[in-house]
């Protein structure tokens, strides 16, 4: 009986480790975002990632794969556009007080259950006043999905959830 209980606990801990508890987003809002109507967002590269599975039964071996792509800049731009902040190529003359400079970076990776439960990716985003160069909004959040593209997309959404 003791052996069965030990095996059950071991199997349960391995399978439940895939469901990571993500750290709460760290959000800092020292400024007022309501006055900003424009953003300057630098070009970001797309991230391609894929995942695959192989399984079999008495009839053969089968496999599947999924490939996903995410461009962090486009995700950030979409979220800010939804809130009425329009993207421009540069800071227009006289528009410094209404323009945000957007900075984005991947800032960490955390193994779950010693690597057996996968890992999370962390992003940090800062919205900076073009006039004063002071941070108006900053955040750090992590995400976990089936691919790295999913991780990044989820982390960005969680990070900007405080807008």
């Amino acid at each position: 009986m003791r052996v069965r209980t030990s095996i059950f606990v071991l199997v349960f801990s391995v399978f439940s480790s895939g469901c990571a508890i993500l750290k709460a987003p760290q959000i800092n809002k020292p400024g007022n975002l309501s006055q900003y109507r424009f953003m300057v967002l630098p070009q970001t590269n797309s991230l391609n990632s894929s995942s695959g599975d192989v399984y079999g039964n008495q009839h053969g071996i089968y496999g599947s794969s999924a490939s996903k792509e995410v461009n962090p800049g486009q995700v950030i731009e979409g979220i800010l556009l939804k809130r009425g902040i329009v993207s421009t190529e540069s800071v227009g003359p006289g528009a410094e007080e209404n323009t945000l400079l957007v900075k984005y970076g991947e800032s960490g990776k955390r193994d779950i259950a010693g690597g057996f439960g996968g890992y999370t990716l962390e992003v940090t985003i800062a919205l900076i006043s073009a006039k004063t160069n002071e941070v108006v909004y900053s955040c750090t959040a992590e995400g976990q999905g089936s691919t790295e593209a999913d991780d990044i997309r989820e982390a960005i959404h969680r990070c900007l959830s405080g807008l």
Side-chain angles (χ1 to χ4, degrees):
M1 184 67 173
R2 185 175 181 101
V3 173
R4 284 186 192 175
T5 305
S6 298
I7 291 172
F8 175 76
V9 169
L10 178 66
V11 169
F12 180 75
S13 65
V14 167
F15 284 113
S16 67
S17 65
C19 303
I21 297 176
L22 300 175
K23 294 179 185 176
Q26 298 172 343
I27 297 173
N28 183 23
K29 290 195 238 183
N32 182 7
L33 285 168
S34 64
Q35 72 187 46
Y36 296 97
R37 296 185 359 210
F38 306 104
M39 68 176 139
V40 176
L41 182 65
Q43 202 76 15
T44 58
N45 294 326
S46 292
L47 169 74
N48 293 308
S49 60
S50 60
S51 65
D53 290 320
V54 176
Y55 52 93
N57 59 24
Q58 68 271 20
H59 302 292
I61 298 175
Y62 305 94
S64 65
S65 66
S67 180
K68 296 183 181 180
E69 179 179 349
V70 65
N71 185 321
Q74 289 177 346
V75 176
I76 294 168
E77 183 176 15
I79 293 169
L80 292 175
L81 278 171
K82 194 173 184 180
R83 285 164 176 75
I85 301 172
V86 179
S87 180
T88 62
E89 295 296 319
S90 61
V91 180
E96 294 89 5
E97 64 267 354
N98 296 14
T99 305
L100 290 169
L101 306 174
V102 181
K103 299 294 180 183
Y104 160 85
E106 293 179 33
S107 53
K109 181 177 180 179
R110 180 172 64 98
D111 286 334
I112 305 299
F116 291 111
Y119 57 88
T120 65
L121 289 179
E122 179 184 83
V123 301
T124 299
I125 300 171
L127 306 179
I128 302 164
S129 168
K131 183 176 181 180
T132 64
N133 285 327
E134 292 180 2
V135 175
V136 179
Y137 180 94
S138 66
C139 57
T140 299
E142 59 184 14
Q144 184 184 34
S146 60
T147 65
E148 286 190 0
D150 292 335
D151 297 353
I152 297 295
R153 181 175 277 115
E154 181 182 10
I156 291 170
H157 279 281
R158 293 182 75 236
C159 194
L160 295 177
S161 66
L163 290 176

